[in-house]
Amino acid sequence: KALDACTEKWLEEVEADSYPLVKLPEMMRAIREGMPTRHSENIRGLPQAAKVILCIAVSLGKVWGPTAAVSIATLKKYACQATQHAMLDEASLGQITNLVEMLMDSGLLT
């Protein structure tokens, strides 16, 4: 009987303190508007080499699956082929790693 009384009192307090219902579209709009930058703005500000690496990484993710582990050497190999050896041929693995870290820091790669 005491448990029922406590439960009833708790339910009354919860109902009295309830907030209005927020619908999912309203929440998504608030999240979108609250985000400081969009991915497209981040991508626009990237160096050309980083854009190439991002494109290759996304393409490999689509082909190999989102959980595939792609090595820096593999990224460089495909990036060199994609640019016909015009842009990233001279880049070291350390430079490619820096580009990947830049993309990760900006939230474009995980």
Side-chain angles (χ1 to χ4, degrees):
K1 188 173 185 173
L3 182 61
D4 289 338
C6 285
T7 303
E8 185 176 314
K9 184 176 179 183
W10 180 78
L11 287 173
E12 287 172 7
E13 289 175 6
V14 168
E15 288 176 9
D17 294 335
S18 292
Y19 295 98
L21 182 65
V22 177
K23 295 181 180 178
L24 189 58
E26 295 168 345
M27 185 176 63
M28 293 304 293
R29 183 173 48 250
I31 290 171
R32 253 193 330 269
E33 291 170 357
M35 297 300 285
T37 58
R38 298 186 187 271
H39 288 307
S40 60
E41 293 170 9
N42 286 341
I43 293 170
R44 238 181 267 121
L46 291 173
Q48 190 63 31
K51 291 177 186 178
V52 171
I53 296 296
L54 177 62
C55 184
I56 298 300
V58 170
S59 297
L60 290 176
K62 286 182 179 181
V63 172
W64 293 347
T67 59
V70 180
S71 71
I72 299 297
T74 301
L75 276 176
K76 180 180 178 181
K77 177 181 122 184
Y78 283 111
C80 287
Q81 290 175 359
T83 59
Q84 298 177 350
H85 303 279
M87 183 184 300
L88 295 168
D89 240 8
E90 302 297 320
S92 69
L93 291 180
Q95 290 169 320
I96 302 295
T97 300
N98 290 339
L99 293 171
V100 169
E101 288 172 354
M102 177 193 313
L103 294 168
M104 291 175 74
D105 290 345
S106 66
L108 297 169
L109 282 182
T110 55

